[in-house]
């Protein structure tokens, strides 16, 4: 299957972890579109002035394009319930917030950027807890399907 069968599935039809990834896309898509089309607005909201090395904001637009791609993959994975992808997403999102914290401590980025990273980290932890809940429910169903003698 090339694409997920539905673009807007019922939330109740998704697993707990799939639901968390699906809803995360509603956070990332507006951010990605803003970075891609009007990166200066994003920088203004963050209180950051563009550096001379990125005067035309190419790298901000590139980050927006990458985030659009990640959002598309996350959307498709959520609908198809690709739980291994969710695990990788939790790991990647955790790595990014660690990098942001280190950069903030070293004075390389504005603390507001790390604040947004922490919001994303809380979403990653929601996905992790949802993965554990899905796993626990699957074990419970297996126990019900296999009665003890």
């Amino acid at each position: 299957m090339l694409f997920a069968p539905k673009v807007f599935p019922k939330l109740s039809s998704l697993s707990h972890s799939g639901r968390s990834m699906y809803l995360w896309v509603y956070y990332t898509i507006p951010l990605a579109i803003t970075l891609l089309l009007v990166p200066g607005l994003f920088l203004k909201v963050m209180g950051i002035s563009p550096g001379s090395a990125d005067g035309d904001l190419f790298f901000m637009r590139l980050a927006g394009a990458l985030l659009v791609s990640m959002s598309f993959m996350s959307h498709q994975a959520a609908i198809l319930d690709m739980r291994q992808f969710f695990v990788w997403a939790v790991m990647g999102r955790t790595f990014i917030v660690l990098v942001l914290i280190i950069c903030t401590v070293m004075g390389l980025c504005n603390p507001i950027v790390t604040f947004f990273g922490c919001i994303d980290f809380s979403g990653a932890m929601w996905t992790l807890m949802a993965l554990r809940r899905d796993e626990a429910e699957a074990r419970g169903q297996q126990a019900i399907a296999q009665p003890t003698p």
Side-chain angles (χ1 to χ4, degrees):
M1 180 179 315
L2 190 57
F3 294 105
K6 291 184 177 182
V7 176
F8 300 107
K10 293 180 184 177
L11 288 179
S12 61
S13 69
L14 301 174
S15 66
H16 299 289
S17 51
R19 190 175 309 132
S20 74
M21 288 296 292
Y22 182 79
L23 293 174
W24 181 69
V25 171
Y26 282 92
Y27 163 72
T28 59
I29 284 291
L31 178 60
I33 298 299
T34 302
L35 286 171
L36 189 60
L37 300 179
V38 283
L41 175 64
F42 175 78
L43 291 175
K44 188 175 183 179
V45 168
M46 292 293 187
I48 302 170
S49 60
S52 59
D54 197 19
D56 60 357
L57 302 174
F58 167 75
F59 290 106
M60 294 297 292
R61 293 179 196 277
L62 181 60
L66 291 170
L67 190 55
V68 166
S69 177
M70 285 177 38
S71 299
F72 173 75
M73 288 184 282
S74 298
H75 176 267
Q76 295 294 293
I79 294 171
L80 296 173
D81 201 29
M82 300 174 72
R83 294 185 188 176
Q84 187 60 49
F85 181 89
F86 306 158
V87 172
W88 299 331
V90 167
M91 293 166 58
R93 291 161 70 187
T94 301
F95 171 75
I96 287 178
V97 80
L98 290 174
V99 169
L100 290 174
I101 290 169
I102 291 168
C103 288
T104 300
V105 168
M106 294 176 65
L108 299 174
C109 74
N110 192 324
I112 191 72
V113 176
T114 302
F115 172 73
F116 278 91
C118 289
I119 291 172
D120 186 55
F121 178 71
S122 66
M125 293 301 99
W126 174 28
T127 302
L128 179 62
M129 289 185 295
L131 279 163
R132 290 180 176 167
R133 183 174 176 185
D134 288 335
E135 186 178 310
E137 287 180 1
R139 276 195 310 261
Q141 297 223 348
Q142 287 176 350
I144 292 170
Q146 300 172 3
T148 56

